[in-house]
Amino acid sequence: ELKVEQNPLFLSMQEGKNYTIYCNYSTTSDRLYWYRQDPGKSLESLFVLLSNGAVKQEGRLMASLDTKARLSTLHITAAVHDLSATYFCAVGGGSNYKLTFGKGTLLTVNP
Amino acid sequence: GAGVSQSPSNKVTEKGKDVELRCDPISGHTALYWYRQRLGQGLEFLIYFQGNSAPDKSGLPSDRFSAERTGESVSTLTIQRTQQEDSAVYLCASSKSTGDSNQPQHFGDGTRLSIL
């Protein structure tokens, strides 16, 4: 059974600081997705990572995938308050349809 | 429509009642997914549809849960004889197909279900 672990689950940081969220998964996969969820809202797709060594950047967020280590990272550069949200990683299994989600990382960026 | 639409947005009902949740996927999306999100938890996969067929129902928690999809469009998730542990946010997502990994699943805002 595929298991996905995120850490930390809670992250409080100051504006301007850098930090990394980690996503480990238990079985081989080459499909990993990062989503953002604001309170009471739906999940917004941030990144799709499909191969070992894939790196994608959007604004202050950068995601990478190491399929050999079964690890993805979401790096936050010079955080701003607007980045406050819950971030989920999700890993694809044998078929694209089934995603296994981590528990999410609640990020709070303090002014 | 522009995005995945779910209704109702909130549902409060008494234990033992049946509830029906609706999902309108993005137009043209052949794949549709249902997830459950308990408070403070990640998403739990329930079922998916490719077209009107549901090849994998193994995520449904019990036989009180059922889902159908018609016209390769609207889907309904039905929970019979609701229990308090059914309280959660039920999220629907759609994607262009299940075969293209590059296509992320697009989520609706969810239905917040509360069982009294």
Side-chain angles (χ1 to χ4, degrees), chain A:
Chain A
E1 180 188 351
L2 175 60
K3 294 188 187 299
V4 179
E5 288 191 3
Q6 279 183 244
N7 70 84
L9 297 182
F10 300 93
L11 177 56
S12 180
M13 56 192 298
Q14 288 187 318
E15 282 190 329
K17 299 292 187 182
N18 304 332
Y19 210 84
T20 300
I21 299 171
Y22 297 88
C23 175
N24 290 89
Y25 53 97
S26 61
T27 63
T28 301
S29 175
D30 58 0
R31 293 176 287 112
L32 192 137
Y33 307 83
W34 283 96
Y35 286 88
R36 167 181 173 148
Q37 186 179 37
D38 291 294
K41 300 295 185 182
S42 77
L43 280 75
E44 172 192 356
S45 174
L46 294 175
F47 299 108
V48 178
L49 302 170
L50 299 178
S51 60
N52 186 40
V55 177
K56 291 195 175 178
Q57 183 163 4
E58 181 72 34
R60 301 175 187 273
L61 300 177
M62 183 173 71
S64 66
L65 177 62
D66 181 343
T67 58
K68 294 180 181 177
R70 298 176 188 166
L71 170 69
S72 179
T73 61
L74 180 66
H75 187 72
I76 303 152
T77 301
V80 292
H81 180 67
D82 286 351
L83 290 179
S84 297
T86 299
Y87 292 85
F88 291 96
C89 65
V91 180
S95 301
N96 188 43
Y97 68 87
K98 189 170 183 176
L99 296 182
T100 301
F101 281 77
K103 290 187 176 181
T105 297
L106 176 58
L107 171 65
T108 304
V109 181
N110 302 304

